Amino acid sequence: MSSFGTKLKKLRTSRDMKQTDRATAMGVSKGTVSVWERSVRYPEMETIQNLASFFNVPLSTLLDGITEISGQSHISNNNHSDKDISAAAAKAAVSQISLI
């Protein structure tokens, strides 16, 4: 199974984009894209949804195998639909807010 970062890099390079191009379009630094692609850190859920939309892939394509997003959500896609994954992410985010 490919990591989030590997999948993101393949999607970017398949469109002949540089990290700088993707960073500018997302309003982040090239270094941020680099740490995403190396799976050092993951973007926020909303950003992952935007990436899936930009690359025209199902959200599950990017989330498959991710176990932690921004230290809050613990999602592992075992053939769940994008709707299931989004619901799980929303539930995890709400539970984190409830703890505050």
Side-chain angles (χ1 to χ4, degrees), residues 11-48:
L11 287 167
R12 177 182 58 78
T13 57
S14 72
R15 286 159 178 79
D16 294 323
M17 295 182 75
K18 296 182 180 186
Q19 283 183 341
T20 307
D21 301 328
R22 186 68 254 150
T24 300
M26 297 292 298
V28 299
S29 71
K30 177 185 171 194
T32 297
V33 173
S34 175
V35 295
W36 293 345
E37 290 185 357
R38 290 182 287 128
S39 296
V40 173
R41 285 188 311 218
Y42 299 109
E44 297 291 327
M45 187 65 189
E46 181 179 346
T47 302
I48 295 172

Side-chain angles (χ1 to χ4, degrees), residues 3-96:
S3 70
F4 170 83
T6 300
K7 289 182 252 185
L8 184 59
K9 183 175 182 176
K10 283 181 184 179
L11 287 167
R12 177 182 58 78
T13 57
S14 72
R15 286 159 178 79
D16 294 323
M17 295 182 75
K18 296 182 180 186
Q19 283 183 341
T20 307
D21 301 328
R22 186 68 254 150
T24 300
M26 297 292 298
V28 299
S29 71
K30 177 185 171 194
T32 297
V33 173
S34 175
V35 295
W36 293 345
E37 290 185 357
R38 290 182 287 128
S39 296
V40 173
R41 285 188 311 218
Y42 299 109
E44 297 291 327
M45 187 65 189
E46 181 179 346
T47 302
I48 295 172
Q49 290 170 326
N50 291 338
L51 287 164
S53 178
F54 176 83
F55 289 117
N56 197 29
V57 297
L59 183 59
S60 58
T61 299
L62 291 174
L63 291 180
D64 187 30
I66 291 179
T67 57
E68 185 175 323
I69 299 172
S70 299
Q72 296 178 6
S73 306
H74 299 280
I75 303 169
S76 181
N77 179 15
N78 295 318
N79 297 319
H80 297 292
S81 70
D82 288 348
K83 184 177 178 182
D84 293 337
I85 293 168
S86 294
K91 185 176 179 180
V94 168
S95 70
Q96 290 296 317

